[in-house]
């Protein structure tokens, strides 16, 4: 997977390059699990941001998330590739019910489970003061948007990150709780 990301070094940021990166990583993981029985069924989520002049490019597969805090408004920029995420988007399940659904961890799209993957991409204007959060479902499953917003409004990123992780653990988090905080300089 690291080799796939290294392939981006020196390239001009583009959605095509992100897609090519995801395809390479997917193929590498898929071939490895095909070659080694103990890795059978292995896959992962992958959400990335790539800074371009005047914009930020997003690549996303799985149920990890990308959030953008802009001018006090928190927006989930990525869509969960999960059974529950699809049910919420179609209106078959209320957003409030999604948090306790027994199917919330059923992923419908992952990197490496097949030899190709459909990667969601987006271009977002880069605005000074924007704050980004990339996180695994171990955080987003146990922290609601209000809690995330309160933490991301803090000026100290380290304190913000610590509060989110502690909040997820105190809410019963047992899955991997991973996050990256980014900020566009003013």
């Amino acid at each position: 997977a690291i080799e796939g990301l290294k392939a981006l070094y020196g390239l001009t940021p583009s959605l095509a390059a992100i897609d090519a990166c995801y395809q390479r990583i997917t193929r590498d993981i898929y071939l490895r699990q095909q070659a080694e029985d103990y890795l059978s069924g292995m896959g992962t989520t992958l959400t990335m941001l790539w800074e371009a002049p005047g914009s930020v490019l997003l690549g996303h597969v799985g149920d990890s998330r990308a959030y953008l805090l802009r001018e006090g408004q928190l927006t989930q920029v990525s869509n969960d590739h999960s059974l529950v995420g699809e049910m919420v988007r179609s209106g078959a399940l209320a957003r409030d019910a999604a948090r306790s659904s027994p199917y919330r961890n059923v992923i419908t799209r992952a990197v490496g489970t097949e030899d190709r993957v459909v990667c969601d991409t987006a271009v977002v204007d880069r605005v000074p003061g924007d704050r980004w959060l990339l996180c695994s479902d171990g955080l987003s499953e146990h922290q609601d948007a209000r809690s995330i917003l309160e933490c991301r409004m803090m000026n100290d990123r380290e304190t913000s990150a610590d509060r989110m992780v502690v909040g997820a653990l105190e809410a019963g988090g047992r899955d991997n709780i991973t996050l990256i905080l980014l900020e566009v300089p003013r």
Side-chain angles (χ1 to χ4, degrees):
I2 297 299
E3 292 305 314
L5 291 173
K6 284 182 181 177
L8 296 177
Y9 294 147
L11 295 180
T12 300
S14 72
L15 298 180
I18 288 174
D19 187 64
C21 171
Y22 273 71
Q23 298 313 320
R24 180 173 176 180
I25 292 169
T26 292
R27 184 97 175 127
D28 289 350
I29 292 171
Y30 181 77
L31 290 175
R32 182 142 182 227
Q33 69 157 311
Q34 295 298 307
E36 301 177 44
D37 288 340
Y38 75 97
L39 298 176
S40 180
M42 180 176 68
T44 189
T45 66
L46 178 60
T47 302
M48 67 173 284
L49 295 176
W50 194 5
E51 188 176 32
S55 64
V56 175
L57 308 180
L58 169 74
H60 171 71
V61 171
D63 65 349
S64 292
R65 291 184 177 173
Y67 289 97
L68 171 61
L69 175 62
R70 177 178 286 166
E71 297 177 6
Q73 182 79 18
L74 185 70
T75 305
Q76 182 180 334
V77 180
S78 59
N79 284 318
D80 292 350
H81 299 137
S82 66
L83 182 57
V84 166
E86 290 176 12
M87 292 170 70
V88 168
R89 283 190 296 279
S90 73
L93 183 67
R95 188 170 297 280
D96 294 341
R99 294 182 84 76
S100 60
S101 170
Y103 304 108
R104 68 186 175 277
N105 295 94
V106 177
I107 297 174
T108 57
R109 197 184 313 171
V111 172
T113 56
E114 297 180 19
D115 65 344
R116 290 197 50 80
V117 70
V118 175
C119 172
D120 288 354
T121 57
V123 178
V124 180
D125 290 338
R126 190 176 72 197
V127 176
D130 279 356
R131 294 180 180 188
W132 287 90
L133 164 64
L134 302 181
C135 65
S136 65
D137 65 325
L139 180 81
S140 61
E141 186 173 314
H142 298 286
Q143 292 288 282
D144 62 16
R146 183 183 51 77
S147 299
I148 291 171
L149 176 61
E150 288 173 4
C151 290
R152 283 309 284 137
M153 292 295 287
M154 299 174 148
N155 288 325
D156 181 0
R157 285 189 300 267
E158 189 170 325
T159 301
S160 174
D162 288 346
R163 286 226 179 131
M164 281 189 268
V165 170
V166 167
L169 290 169
E170 287 176 349
R174 293 178 307 279
D175 197 356
N176 125 11
I177 301 170
T178 305
L179 64 95
I180 298 173
L181 302 176
L182 306 151
E183 189 168 340
V184 177
R186 291 193 182 270

